[in-house]
Amino acid sequence: MGEVEPEILLEVRDLVTAFDTDAGQLTAVDGVSFAVRRGRTLGIVGESGCGKSVTAMSIMRLLPQPMGKILAGEVLFDGRNLATVPAEDMRSIRGNRISMIFQEPMTALNPVHRIGKQICEVLTQHNDLSPDDAWQQAVEMLDKVGIPSPEIRATEYPHQLSGGMRQRVVIAIALACGPELVIADEPTTALDVTIQAQILQLINNLQRDLGMSVMLITHDLGVIAETCDEVCVMYAGRVVERAQVKELFANPRHAYTQGLLSSIPRLNGTPKSELQTIDGMVPALSELKPGCRFAPRSGREHAPELLVERQALRQISTDHWVEACPVCARG
Amino acid sequence: MNNGTAILSTDNLRMHFPVKGGVFQRAVAACKAVDGVSLTIMPGETLGLVGESGCGKSTLGKTISRLYEPTSGGIAFEGNELADLSRRELKPFRREIQMIFQDPYESLNPRHTVGTIIEEPFVIHKMGTRAERRQWVADLLAKVGLPESAAGRYPFEFSGGQRQRIGIARALALKPRLLICDEPVSALDVSIQSQVLNLLMDLQREMGLSYLFISHDLAVVKHISDRIAVMYLGRIVELAPAEEIYNNPVHAYTKALISAIPVPDPTYVPDRVILEGDVPTPIDPPDGCRFAPRSGTGHSPEMLETLPPFKEISSGHWVEACPVCAPAR
């Protein structure tokens, strides 16, 4: 693209996250690597159970305890490895320099506290503010995320707001301390399409105004196409393909990415035509193979050693990486 | 509308729920979930029904299948009026109209085997011997692409997509003519969603089924439907053939809804109409144009008071003709 790429803010290297369960240790994220650049949006797309939310929880160090553990890998944020920083230090980063927007605006807010108070909580946690100043800033945040009559809304409770308004409040809380990175986990999935358009536009505008980086997790390729600069496609705990958004949509190289892109109904498609499908279903975590995990669904013959040996993520052009299974990633 | 050959038609159908309040829990207001809907579904046709949460699309589906007692208006199945029938009189029609629900995790009884779940409609309607019913269950499982061995297992042993297939098998058991599909693929992953949509389209071709396909996903509805009805606050604001409604939307709400769909193509530059505000509550909505508060353009007081007529503006293209939201071309 000619222009100089901005510096990397967050780099995840070979992250492995596992959960202890009754059925033994299950690896939900298995060697995932990607980077988020300053001021840019990285999209992570994949189906349920592919490990996209667990990746986010690992970065935030919000894994359910004591079952969830980061077994290996690094999460480098501004030069520090978040996977190993003491919990105390992590608390001063979380909500302050990295914050999160959750999917369910109904459950992400505390139903018994006023909205203003919930924003004040994050502000006073990280800044030395008087209660009056914090309240003033909370009202300003509500105004910034487009909530009408913010002074009045700040004194209300979450149940008095609609779903779209609640998601705006969640965004206000996430952005209150001016974070450098915002991780948005399915921020619009629970919302109607007209409200989704409002919220995506809001996130885009705020990103432009505040210069923050965004990591957007979603299953919706339409949302990815519209908001992201770069995309990681995850399948069964691994990144199978990573590229600039235009490159990925124009030139998908992995069979899974190709399958995903061709199985969504398109507005300009032939009505009532047979849709492309991906056979079978996402494998359970307990039955994952070390080699190519998409092999059983790819409909293509795999040699036995491809199922046993892990295939590395290989760079095939500038900013385009693909898991180099010779069968699934052939041209 | 001409409903001479329609498999199903509704005439000014209303479903109001009382909102109770005060010390004596008296009805203080009405939630007008479905408020005057007239539509038809032809044999072998898929009618898509789109709209946002709270617009009344699920209530309309449940009212048509008579899971609710309609407040007023008519529901005719092949010319037979259903709205006023008693439970017993309804029973033969129950076989003809079946439902598929959104949540495959909640719509199947977890304590019954899949065989028992699919067999239940035959038991209720006292059909066949035990051996015959077992054979029918096996046939139905094959039809929806599940192995015969599934009959002996429990719903929790299946994935979301497979459970939705079980729900479809149960709905098909009595060879219905009309299926009401309420968000049948919304809870499924993309790769599984297309499998289930293909199955529904195959079954329609094979069995000549008619579908009322309710969804908030406009790309899915566009793909599967012959005609599409757009619902807003209890009313149909626009109804047209699928291609026509996407290429030529007339009502301001339809335009906004279509333009809000994220297109999976990064080179596409959306020409987006961003709507202000949320869907208002259907409790005591205005009598006139209901989209007025969100349309951002001036409505005269009489437009808010008198119901705009539902007009056919070109062949098969109907629109609620509010002069502001749907100006004549």
Side-chain angles (χ1 to χ4, degrees):
Chain A
M1 278 203 208
E3 60 190 288
V4 184
E5 285 290 333
E7 63 169 304
I8 287 170
L9 176 67
L10 174 86
E11 187 175 9
V12 173
R13 280 192 202 153
D14 299 316
L15 180 72
V16 180
T17 302
F19 290 90
D20 290 324
T21 69
D22 294 342
Q25 196 173 58
L26 297 179
T27 309
V29 174
D30 190 13
V32 160
S33 304
F34 57 82
V36 186
R37 292 179 186 278
R38 277 194 193 275
R40 294 290 169 89
T41 301
L42 172 79
I44 300 210
V45 68
E47 298 178 285
S48 346
C50 72
K52 51 194 197 301
S53 291
V54 177
T55 304
M57 294 300 189
S58 305
I59 296 170
M60 294 295 278
R61 291 269 297 275
L62 285 174
L63 291 168
Q65 293 302 325
M67 303 83 81
K69 277 194 212 80
I70 298 178
L71 295 185
E74 295 177 307
V75 178
L76 297 171
F77 176 72
D78 205 15
R80 289 183 81 186
N81 184 4
L82 300 186
T84 56
V85 299
E88 196 59 35
D89 292 12
M90 194 62 215
R91 213 169 297 146
S92 69
I93 295 173
R94 198 189 296 129
N96 189 21
R97 300 186 62 195
I98 307 180
S99 62
M100 198 153 174
I101 301 170
F102 297 92
Q103 170 172 357
E104 278 290 335
M106 319 295 157
T107 50
L109 297 172
N110 190 329
V112 300
H113 288 307
R114 294 177 198 278
I115 286 152
K117 188 183 168 199
Q118 299 189 47
I119 305 176
C120 285
E121 198 181 342
V122 62
L123 284 167
T124 48
Q125 172 78 29
H126 297 291
N127 303 291
D128 191 16
L129 284 175
S130 73
D132 281 353
D133 289 348
W135 186 265
Q136 199 47 49
Q137 283 195 22
V139 171
E140 279 167 27
M141 271 323 291
L142 288 177
D143 189 38
K144 210 178 266 179
V145 295
I147 290 187
S149 37
E151 300 86 357
I152 299 163
R153 288 301 190 180
T155 64
E156 292 186 343
Y157 292 91
H159 74 90
Q160 292 171 288
L161 273 66
S162 67
M165 283 295 158
R166 272 182 251 193
Q167 194 59 303
R168 286 173 191 264
V169 173
V170 172
I171 293 173
I173 294 172
L175 301 189
C177 291
E180 290 144 87
L181 174 65
V182 173
I183 300 177
D185 189 358
E186 304 269 10
T188 57
T189 307
L191 304 174
D192 277 313
V193 49
T194 60
I195 310 300
Q196 167 171 284
Q198 293 173 0
I199 296 291
L200 291 178
Q201 192 194 42
L202 173 70
I203 294 177
N204 269 346
N205 290 349
L206 290 170
Q207 177 178 26
R208 198 189 49 219
D209 299 346
L210 308 173
M212 62 194 185
S213 309
V214 176
M215 186 174 138
L216 182 81
I217 298 172
T218 179
H219 67 280
D220 187 331
L221 287 157
V223 172
I224 290 277
E226 237 165 64
T227 53
C228 296
D229 302 299
E230 269 182 276
V231 197
C232 275
V233 181
M234 282 187 73
Y235 185 76
R238 291 185 184 158
V239 172
V240 294
E241 191 159 3
R242 197 171 102 197
Q244 299 281 328
V245 68
K246 283 184 183 155
E247 166 74 6
L248 187 95
F249 279 78
N251 192 15
R253 296 294 289 272
H254 196 279
Y256 178 61
T257 316
Q258 293 167 351
L260 266 189
L261 283 170
S262 56
S263 61
I264 34 177
R266 310 243 174 187
L267 286 177
N268 54 5
T270 316
K272 300 195 118 176
S273 60
E274 169 116 2
L275 290 164
Q276 297 263 346
T277 60
I278 303 177
D279 286 339
M281 53 192 172
V282 180
L285 285 182
S286 53
E287 46 195 57
L288 292 178
K289 303 264 182 330
C292 176
R293 292 181 170 174
F294 190 61
R297 299 181 74 190
S298 66
R300 301 174 183 178
E301 200 72 42
H302 279 66
E305 65 269 18
L306 293 177
L307 303 177
V308 182
E309 268 167 51
R310 174 146 192 191
Q311 307 297 317
L313 206 59
R314 199 179 59 206
Q315 189 166 18
I316 52 165
S317 64
T318 341
D319 294 321
H320 193 161
W321 301 69
V322 62
E323 190 177 74
C325 167
V327 179
C328 285
R330 68 177 172 217
Chain B
M1 266 177 262
N2 169 30
N3 49 17
T5 54
I7 187 154
L8 184 111
S9 61
T10 69
D11 177 31
N12 216 6
L13 190 63
R14 289 197 157 83
M15 185 66 235
H16 296 180
F17 298 96
V19 178
K20 295 189 172 149
V23 188
F24 300 106
Q25 290 294 301
R26 274 185 306 205
V28 291
C31 172
K32 301 182 176 177
V34 175
D35 199 25
V37 168
S38 304
L39 46 79
T40 57
I41 303 173
M42 307 309 267
E45 181 191 50
T46 303
L47 178 69
L49 182 62
V50 295
E52 297 178 279
S53 349
C55 73
K57 55 193 192 302
S58 288
T59 306
L60 177 59
K62 287 181 179 164
T63 311
I64 287 174
S65 55
R66 277 295 311 266
L67 293 178
Y68 291 140
E69 196 77 25
T71 307
S72 68
I75 307 165
F77 183 81
E78 293 188 316
N80 303 293
E81 189 52 56
L82 303 187
D84 308 318
L85 295 187
S86 69
R87 280 176 73 117
R88 182 178 308 185
E89 291 166 322
L90 261 179
K91 209 168 168 189
F93 295 103
R94 295 269 192 221
R95 296 169 58 164
E96 308 280 0
I97 306 177
Q98 291 286 330
M99 276 193 91
I100 303 172
F101 298 93
Q102 167 170 6
D103 196 331
Y105 295 86
E106 288 184 357
S107 54
L108 303 175
N109 189 330
R111 290 167 187 274
H112 286 175
T113 62
V114 168
T116 312
I117 290 170
I118 300 176
E119 192 188 355
E120 202 175 12
F122 300 127
V123 176
I124 290 171
H125 287 272
K126 302 191 177 67
M127 293 163 70
T129 63
R130 238 175 136 181
E132 278 175 318
R133 294 201 296 257
R134 194 161 300 163
Q135 185 54 47
W136 293 339
V137 168
D139 294 346
L140 283 163
L141 285 170
K143 195 168 243 167
V144 298
L146 289 172
E148 207 181 322
S149 62
R153 291 155 65 191
Y154 289 88
F156 76 88
E157 298 177 66
F158 296 89
S159 68
Q162 289 172 325
R163 279 182 228 212
Q164 201 52 287
R165 288 174 191 266
I166 296 166
I168 294 171
R170 174 179 60 185
L172 293 179
L174 298 171
K175 302 204 171 64
R177 309 277 303 285
L178 172 66
L179 275 190
I180 294 173
C181 313
D182 190 358
E183 304 265 11
V185 297
S186 305
L188 306 177
D189 273 316
V190 184
S191 69
I192 308 299
Q193 176 177 303
S194 54
Q195 294 173 3
V196 172
L197 289 173
N198 280 347
L199 174 67
L200 286 172
M201 291 188 288
D202 289 345
L203 291 169
Q204 179 169 51
R205 269 191 298 270
E206 242 170 71
M207 307 175 66
L209 293 165
S210 302
Y211 293 144
L212 176 66
F213 192 95
I214 303 169
S215 180
H216 69 281
D217 186 328
L218 292 102
V220 166
V221 168
K222 158 88 189 318
H223 192 88
I224 200 168
S225 304
D226 298 292
R227 290 186 303 146
I228 293 173
V230 179
M231 198 163 175
Y232 189 78
L233 267 196
R235 287 213 197 116
I236 306 291
V237 294
E238 192 159 0
L239 174 80
E243 287 289 329
E244 166 78 4
I245 212 160
Y246 280 88
N247 297 336
N248 224 345
V250 172
H251 198 279
Y253 180 63
T254 314
K255 286 181 183 168
L257 201 59
I258 290 171
S259 82
I261 311 170
V263 176
D265 175 3
T267 56
Y268 175 83
V269 183
D271 178 18
R272 186 149 291 166
V273 189
I274 300 252
L275 285 181
E276 299 281 319
D278 302 292
V279 181
T281 144
I283 297 171
D284 291 333
D287 292 325
C289 175
R290 291 188 176 174
F291 188 62
R294 288 180 87 191
S295 68
T297 37
H299 282 66
S300 66
E302 61 265 34
M303 289 174 197
L304 301 176
E305 273 160 29
T306 42
L307 177 64
F310 201 53
K311 267 198 205 154
E312 188 169 23
I313 52 163
S314 62
S315 174
H317 192 155
W318 295 72
V319 65
E320 191 174 83
C322 165
V324 177
C325 291
R329 281 176 294 186

